[in-house]
Amino acid sequence: MPVSRKFPCRRVSRRSVLQSSAAMLSAPLVAKATAAFGQEKLAGTGEVVVYGYGGSFTQNLRKYVFDPFTKATGIRVVDVIADLAGPQLKAMHEAGRVDWDVAFLSDVEPGYALLREAGMFMPIDYSLWDDEALKGVPESARRTDAVVAFQNATLLVYDERAFPKGGPKNWSEFWNVKEFPGPRGYNGVGGPAPILFALMADGVAHKDLWPLSDDKIDRALKKLDQIKPHITKWWAAGGEPIQLLINREYALSSVFDGRALAAIKRGLPIRMVWDGATIGATDWTVLKGGPNSANAQKFIAFVNRAETAAAFTQAAGYPGPNLNQLKYLPADLVPLISINPDNAAKAVRLDATWVLAKRPDGKTNADHIQERWLAWRAQ
């Protein structure tokens, strides 16, 4: 029987977004056991302890990823639950005792960089990977000591009822209140994404967005001054913009892609606009000193196979990096996810290295952007 261990949780963050997005998706395919135990090159015994966000997110992964892994390899998955892995891993590192084997960490989470510097992550054993997985997962997603688990986007969406002849196609048109009238929503929490959207609306090409120098931030905030009177509500929680779109309190808004995808799967008249979407990544890491490191490496190899990756994408609502999974996904889902090549070509990737880099005053660029954002919001 699967086992679940719970650890103390911090304030709800992305966990609730991922849970609810996963809950609203239709039942995904089940990753097949690729061979009999004796033939499966990842076969083993014992268990592997894998961190997750809990709720429907972990329940779906249990059914469509973890259990198939156990069936194929004989290795049992024990899931542990917490809001964010970083604080738990920091405590383990300081205590000199690591209780987990595998953890998710966002590559723009400060804890990721600190834990990496502390040497808490093992090199990923790519020799265990199928040739198909090595070809399907881009090199940029395969780092020495981490591999992308899934990517998430923030993008422009609109209510098709408000724009029956077609809505805005980019952020410049989001700012065009004459041609595309209606109540607007915008991310009020801050971070790089709202700054990037404003720069794109002001005509900055995707290739020229990074780094976000002070003059670019000034330019973005000046552009935001133009749209500020037309924002009827600055949303904070991931579920807000979709609900406000459904209620027709928004006609268009920035939204997390998993939320929009789930709404579309439910038949709601939401249209996703991928031009100018911002994409970030969350990584799988294998923890040095974990109780089952060899099994952890096998788990990472298994989850990156194309069929398993397709099951993960449908279970989680956010896509893993293996592009070969596209042939295993339902045809109606492929146009709605960020790894679709057409969508990826229009999107902007967050520069995690720059975001976490320190400025001369010792603050990170992320901290600086946030201070500028909050000061502007308070005006």
Side-chain angles (χ1 to χ4, degrees):
M1 293 291 291
V3 177
S4 177
R5 302 172 187 160
K6 291 199 175 186
F7 287 75
C9 296
R10 294 180 65 188
R11 181 176 59 84
V12 173
S13 55
R14 72 186 305 156
R15 173 187 176 189
S16 60
V17 174
L18 293 163
Q19 286 180 9
S20 55
S21 298
M24 292 186 284
L25 291 174
S26 57
L29 59 86
V30 177
K32 300 174 182 177
T34 56
F37 294 158
Q39 298 172 318
E40 169 61 71
K41 70 176 183 179
L42 302 181
T45 59
E47 65 183 29
V48 58
V49 182
V50 179
Y51 156 77
Y53 305 111
S56 58
F57 180 86
T58 296
Q59 291 170 10
N60 283 352
L61 290 188
R62 161 67 56 195
K63 184 173 182 179
Y64 299 112
V65 178
F66 297 169
D67 288 349
F69 170 73
T70 299
K71 183 178 180 181
T73 66
I75 299 168
R76 186 172 59 117
V77 176
V78 177
D79 44 85
V80 294
I81 299 166
D83 264 357
L84 295 173
Q88 303 293 343
L89 297 180
K90 182 175 183 292
M92 292 181 200
H93 178 70
E94 292 174 350
R97 173 182 170 179
V98 178
D99 298 316
W100 302 355
D101 297 305
V102 177
F104 290 121
L105 280 166
S106 168
D107 60 8
V108 293
E109 181 181 341
Y112 172 82
L114 294 174
L115 293 166
R116 189 178 191 187
E117 289 175 6
M120 196 165 182
F121 308 138
M122 293 184 65
I124 302 297
D125 186 355
Y126 291 108
S127 70
L128 295 173
W129 287 38
D130 291 353
D131 184 61
E132 168 276 314
L134 290 171
K135 291 178 179 177
V137 177
E139 287 188 20
S140 60
R142 290 187 278 114
R143 302 169 193 161
T144 301
D145 56 2
V147 59
V148 171
F150 60 87
Q151 59 185 37
N152 55 285
T154 307
L155 74 170
L156 168 58
V157 305
Y158 63 85
D159 181 351
E160 293 178 310
R161 298 169 299 179
F163 304 104
K165 296 182 180 180
K169 300 180 179 64
N170 51 52
W171 289 106
S172 293
E173 294 186 349
F174 180 91
W175 256 252
N176 188 341
V177 296
K178 291 183 178 179
E179 188 172 348
F180 301 100
R184 283 155 161 76
Y186 208 77
N187 179 353
V189 176
I195 301 297
L196 293 169
F197 298 153
L199 288 172
M200 286 183 274
D202 205 38
V204 178
H206 293 185
K207 65 181 180 63
D208 297 325
L209 290 167
W210 297 101
L212 291 178
S213 56
D214 284 347
D215 62 322
K216 288 180 185 174
I217 297 173
D218 292 340
R219 180 175 175 178
L221 296 177
K222 185 177 180 180
K223 187 67 175 179
L224 281 160
D225 285 337
Q226 298 174 10
I227 202 68
K228 194 174 189 179
H230 304 280
I231 304 300
T232 57
K233 179 176 172 57
W234 299 86
W235 59 264
E240 283 186 88
I242 290 295
Q243 189 59 52
L244 292 168
L245 283 160
I246 293 170
N247 296 346
R248 309 194 81 158
E249 296 177 61
Y250 283 167
L252 60 171
S253 181
S254 59
V255 174
F256 295 134
D257 61 329
R259 293 282 191 168
L261 187 155
I264 292 169
K265 295 291 285 184
R266 290 162 52 201
L268 299 173
I270 304 297
R271 178 62 62 93
M272 305 168 82
V273 179
W274 283 97
D275 191 347
T278 58
I279 295 179
T282 293
D283 301 325
W284 291 112
T285 58
V286 175
L287 306 181
K288 186 177 294 185
N292 310 284
S293 297
N295 286 345
Q297 297 285 3
K298 292 177 180 179
F299 175 82
I300 297 297
F302 182 85
V303 80
N304 279 285
R305 292 173 174 174
E307 287 186 73
T308 314
F312 179 97
T313 295
Q314 293 178 86
Y318 293 86
N322 191 330
L323 298 178
N324 292 329
Q325 70 176 290
L326 293 171
K327 60 188 175 183
Y328 296 106
L329 292 171
D332 63 346
L333 180 60
V334 173
L336 306 177
I337 58 176
S338 59
I339 62 168
N340 178 313
D342 291 339
N343 296 339
K346 300 172 186 175
V348 176
R349 292 196 171 272
L350 296 179
D351 187 339
T353 300
W354 183 88
V355 169
L356 295 178
K358 288 189 176 181
R359 298 167 58 86
D361 61 5
K363 297 177 182 178
T364 65
N365 286 317
D367 291 335
H368 177 69
I369 287 176
Q370 196 65 9
E371 288 179 0
R372 294 291 310 275
W373 173 260
L374 292 174
W376 176 81
R377 281 290 314 277
Q379 293 175 357

